[in-house]
Amino acid sequence: MKNVLQEVRLGIEGSSWTHYSSEQREDLLYDFDRVKSDILLWKSHIIRSINQEEAKQDAFRSANDTSAILIMDWAMKFLQIRYREKQADWYGKRGLSWHISTVITNNASTGKIELKSYAHIFDSCQQDWYAVCSIIENTLEVIKKDHPQISQVSLRSDEAGCYHNNFLLAAVRDAGKRIGLTFTQYDFSEPQYGKDVCDRILCPMKSAIRRYCDITIDMCTALSERPVQGTTACVCLVNETRKALQVNKVDGFSRYHNFKFELDGFRVWRAYGVGKGKVIPYQDIIVKPQGPTDLVVDVDFFAVKEARTHKATSSDDEQSSGLFICSEPGCQMVFKKFSELESHLDVGEHRQVHKGTETVYEKLRRDWAEKFLTVDNKEETGSALVAHSNEQRDKNEASGSCSDLQLGWALHKPRSQAVRFTDEVKQYLTTKFDLGERTGNKAEPGKVAADMRKSRNPDGLRMFERKDWLTKSQVQGLFSRLAATRRRQGNQEVHVEEVYAEEEEQERRGVLENVEKLDSFSLVMLKEILRYFEVPFASRDRKKNLVVTLSKFLEGCECRV
């Protein structure tokens, strides 16, 4: 890929494109650099996705009678339905939150892997770390009751904010101790790649709810009347009064994606299995531990109809022919039944089939690559480019440039700061939006982004520099904010400056609301805030006294006006 990208750049900069002006070539190079960056970021994402999947595969390989794997995910909010409901009942619905926890255990007596999914249904719930901690603690109690031999549990989820935070990591450790279980590790899947067993079991559960006909749908009753294999559900309520955890902020916490619970602290990795990891002591994170969450269960779990089971087949001959191919990259397993494929995707081991013959799909890909390995050099303009490409490839191979990648090239890169639009860009976009509103022919964001590149002033010079060019999504975002603001203000004339002013005002209000919750700050943080604003306080002051001192200071602050 590196050689191909280099050849494309050389082709743009070469002498074969004489029919393009220098300005057009610079535009092409600008587009090339931006697309090249996207390609490399996508390649890094694929590498991280495959590497993080190894954490799940290793957990399955090391599973035994005394260990369990807990995979979690929030489902999309469920909209209640009525039998032959009226149109008036269809509007203004409030969705119900429900959380799916799938427990994977190894049954030594049968030699099979068992899967059970537990659904926690809430009438109203804030999907934060405390709700997840309450669910985990309740699920662990059920696991310990059904499987007393279980002593170790490993966790896995996506990187949603309610999971990937130091509050949850600190809280679940104490929850496991109270129940008599030990957490071994917590692995996070790569974004847009963690569609796992929880997502697959949701489809039959939703179908079961829709099949259950009643005047008003009760999700828990529907799931019990139309049971799905290996699933159960309960109706519960989060007890917010028991929230007491206080932690210190961990620098660069979002960069870590794999956590191992050790005796003295967390051992963290930026990528699974790469390096020895970094140890963060528990005392550096936990200020005040979290006690029992006491999740309020209104309707308890009903009996599981039958656990879903999986038995891995070791014979390559049995798994090398069939209709259903595993969709995981690098896995060549093929199955005769769709149920076997689903079971393999849930808990199976992705591997290559070592045989003398390759699959039809692999043969087609190989033949396609060999057909276009060389370029027809009959044309005069193409022959020079091919000769130059072959020469460049030989140099790269001689110097070993294909393997000179920097260490850590596929790790997450820090996000770039948001770029504010210039006044000229704001005025241009406002004019386009107003023209579409007046004429009824609304501007299409993609066309507006393309027109920005071609717009010129009366002198024939470009109106915008390349660094001011916007993408379709950027233009679409601004148009959406303009439309929403004008709807709220009765279609009055609103400029882009007013939109940004309103956004800054909302952000300021949000900051003030968070500042007012001073009880959530630790003692060390309160003292740091007072020192920053040079507010005097006694070194022996308790947290209550520091909160009063800071509150009095904030009352006279101009930002509260």
Side-chain angles (χ1 to χ4, degrees):
M1 180 181 292
K2 184 177 179 181
N3 293 337
V4 171
L5 294 175
Q6 182 65 19
E7 290 173 6
V8 173
R9 171 175 280 276
L10 293 175
I12 298 175
E13 295 175 342
S15 59
S16 59
W17 290 19
T18 55
H19 55 283
Y20 282 102
S21 63
S22 59
E23 185 179 72
Q24 290 175 323
R25 289 193 181 188
E26 292 175 359
D27 292 346
L28 289 173
L29 287 174
Y30 172 82
D31 292 335
F32 169 78
D33 291 334
R34 188 174 61 180
V35 173
K36 176 184 176 182
S37 176
D38 294 339
I39 292 174
L40 296 179
L41 288 176
W42 179 247
K43 180 180 179 181
S44 302
H45 166 72
I46 295 175
I47 294 295
R48 292 195 304 268
S49 301
I50 301 300
N51 185 70
Q52 286 299 109
E53 181 67 17
E54 285 298 318
K56 176 184 174 184
Q57 297 296 322
D58 290 344
F60 289 150
R61 297 186 189 104
S62 60
N64 53 42
D65 296 345
T66 62
S67 63
I69 303 173
L70 180 60
I71 303 177
M72 306 169 292
D73 192 15
W74 284 98
M76 291 185 64
K77 289 186 177 181
F78 185 83
L79 294 178
Q80 296 187 80
I81 58 178
R82 292 177 178 270
Y83 177 67
R84 298 183 66 179
E85 66 179 1
K86 300 178 181 178
Q87 188 177 21
D89 299 330
W90 187 82
Y91 290 101
K93 288 184 179 180
R94 180 170 57 87
L96 301 178
S97 298
W98 52 325
H99 184 275
I100 307 297
S101 304
T102 299
V103 180
I104 304 173
T105 57
N106 192 353
N107 192 334
S109 60
T110 61
K112 296 181 179 180
I113 299 176
E114 293 186 352
L115 295 88
K116 293 183 180 179
S117 297
Y118 300 86
H120 291 77
I121 304 172
F122 301 88
D123 180 64
S124 178
C125 173
Q126 183 178 356
Q127 299 180 5
D128 57 1
W129 72 267
Y130 183 71
V132 175
C133 181
S134 303
I135 294 171
I136 292 177
E137 185 170 358
N138 178 258
T139 306
L140 292 178
E141 293 175 354
V142 178
I143 295 174
K144 193 64 176 177
K145 182 179 178 181
D146 297 342
H147 306 277
Q149 76 279 6
I150 298 296
S151 60
Q152 295 181 343
V153 178
S154 61
L155 301 173
R156 182 177 177 85
S157 68
D158 56 22
E159 289 192 318
C162 58
Y163 299 117
H164 198 186
N165 61 82
N166 52 353
F167 283 91
L168 182 62
L169 267 294
V172 296
R173 172 177 171 267
D174 296 330
K177 288 183 177 180
R178 289 191 294 270
I179 300 172
L181 296 173
T182 302
F183 286 102
T184 57
Q185 62 189 37
Y186 196 146
D187 300 309
F188 294 91
S189 59
E190 184 70 10
Q192 303 298 326
Y193 199 83
K195 303 306 178 185
D196 218 310
V197 56
C198 296
D199 296 279
R200 280 187 283 273
I201 198 61
L202 270 175
C203 294
M205 294 178 72
K206 290 180 179 178
S207 299
I209 295 175
R210 294 190 183 99
R211 287 198 305 268
Y212 181 74
C213 224
D214 200 350
I215 300 301
T216 303
I217 284 297
D218 184 345
M219 294 176 63
C220 189
T221 304
L223 291 173
S224 62
E225 293 292 335
R226 298 289 186 272
V228 179
Q229 182 182 4
T231 62
T232 182
C234 72
V235 180
C236 46
L237 177 67
V238 177
N239 189 358
E240 294 286 347
T241 60
R242 304 293 292 176
K243 184 189 295 186
L245 179 65
Q246 295 181 10
V247 298
N248 291 324
K249 181 180 179 181
V250 179
D251 293 335
F253 184 86
S254 60
R255 297 180 300 176
Y256 306 128
H257 307 285
N258 301 93
F259 298 81
K260 184 178 181 181
F261 296 84
E262 296 186 347
L263 183 61
D264 299 328
F266 299 105
R267 184 174 294 274
V268 299
W269 288 267
R270 296 182 64 180
Y272 178 73
V274 179
K276 297 181 180 180
K278 174 184 177 183
V279 178
I280 304 177
Y282 293 127
Q283 58 268 22
D284 292 350
I285 300 178
I286 304 174
V287 178
K288 181 180 178 181
Q290 173 63 48
T293 54
D294 295 336
L295 184 70
V296 180
V297 180
D298 295 334
V299 180
D300 207 349
F301 289 107
F302 53 85
V304 179
K305 179 182 178 182
E306 183 183 358
R308 307 190 304 279
T309 59
H310 168 77
K311 185 174 182 180
T313 305
S314 58
S315 175
D316 290 344
D317 295 333
E318 297 180 11
Q319 302 296 337
S320 60
S321 62
L323 181 62
F324 302 100
I325 305 174
C326 179
S327 58
E328 288 293 327
C331 182
Q332 299 179 4
M333 301 291 285
V334 184
F335 302 91
K336 298 179 181 179
K337 297 180 181 180
F338 183 71
S339 58
E340 296 176 352
L341 173 61
E342 285 186 315
S343 180
H344 169 74
L345 291 174
D346 288 342
V347 294
E349 180 179 354
H350 302 291
R351 56 193 176 92
Q352 294 185 358
V353 181
H354 300 288
K355 292 194 65 177
T357 59
E358 57 185 0
T359 62
V360 176
Y361 182 65
E362 289 292 332
K363 187 176 184 304
L364 287 174
R365 290 200 300 180
R366 190 179 302 279
D367 293 343
W368 182 268
E370 291 177 356
K371 181 177 181 180
F372 293 97
L373 187 62
T374 58
V375 181
D376 189 4
N377 57 356
K378 292 182 179 180
E379 297 183 5
E380 181 179 357
T381 56
S383 59
L385 179 59
V386 171
H388 180 80
S389 300
N390 294 334
E391 181 182 356
Q392 182 67 28
R393 186 182 298 108
D394 294 339
K395 292 181 179 179
N396 291 336
E397 292 178 355
S399 60
S401 62
C402 294
S403 59
D404 61 352
L405 295 174
Q406 295 182 355
L407 186 65
W409 64 271
L411 293 175
H412 278 278
K413 303 299 186 296
R415 295 181 179 179
S416 58
Q417 298 295 330
V419 179
R420 300 298 292 242
F421 299 159
T422 62
D423 294 337
E424 293 77 9
V425 172
K426 296 177 184 178
Q427 183 62 35
Y428 179 82
L429 296 178
T430 307
T431 304
K432 287 283 188 180
F433 184 83
D434 292 339
L435 181 62
E437 289 289 315
R438 289 195 303 267
T439 60
N441 186 16
K442 297 183 179 180
E444 199 275 321
K447 188 175 184 303
V448 173
D451 292 341
M452 288 186 66
R453 303 165 61 115
K454 304 175 184 177
S455 300
R456 298 181 180 272
N457 56 26
D459 298 332
L461 302 176
R462 284 183 169 177
M463 293 180 60
F464 306 105
E465 299 180 6
R466 294 185 183 90
K467 61 182 181 64
D468 295 329
W469 289 354
L470 303 181
T471 62
K472 175 183 177 181
S473 59
Q474 288 176 310
V475 177
Q476 188 174 6
L478 179 61
F479 282 179
S480 299
R481 293 194 295 269
L482 278 172
T485 305
R486 294 191 177 182
R487 283 196 301 268
R488 290 194 301 268
Q489 298 188 6
N491 294 328
Q492 296 178 359
E493 188 71 16
V494 180
H495 296 285
V496 180
E497 291 78 3
E498 298 178 14
V499 176
Y500 279 108
E502 182 177 351
E503 290 181 352
E504 293 175 356
E505 177 64 19
Q506 292 177 356
E507 182 179 357
R508 187 182 71 87
R509 291 175 183 173
V511 172
L512 290 178
E513 291 176 359
N514 293 330
V515 169
E516 290 174 356
K517 301 176 182 178
L518 298 177
D519 293 336
S520 61
F521 289 101
S522 64
L523 185 67
V524 178
M525 181 62 70
L526 289 171
K527 290 183 178 181
E528 288 293 331
I529 295 174
L530 291 173
R531 290 193 189 99
Y532 178 81
F533 290 106
E534 299 181 354
V535 179
F537 64 93
S539 59
R540 296 183 178 180
D541 282 349
R542 296 179 177 271
K543 182 177 180 180
K544 181 179 180 181
N545 299 331
L546 296 177
V547 170
V548 173
T549 303
L550 187 55
S551 299
K552 290 181 179 179
F553 169 74
L554 293 175
E555 289 178 358
C557 183
E558 296 179 355
C559 65
R560 298 183 65 90
V561 179

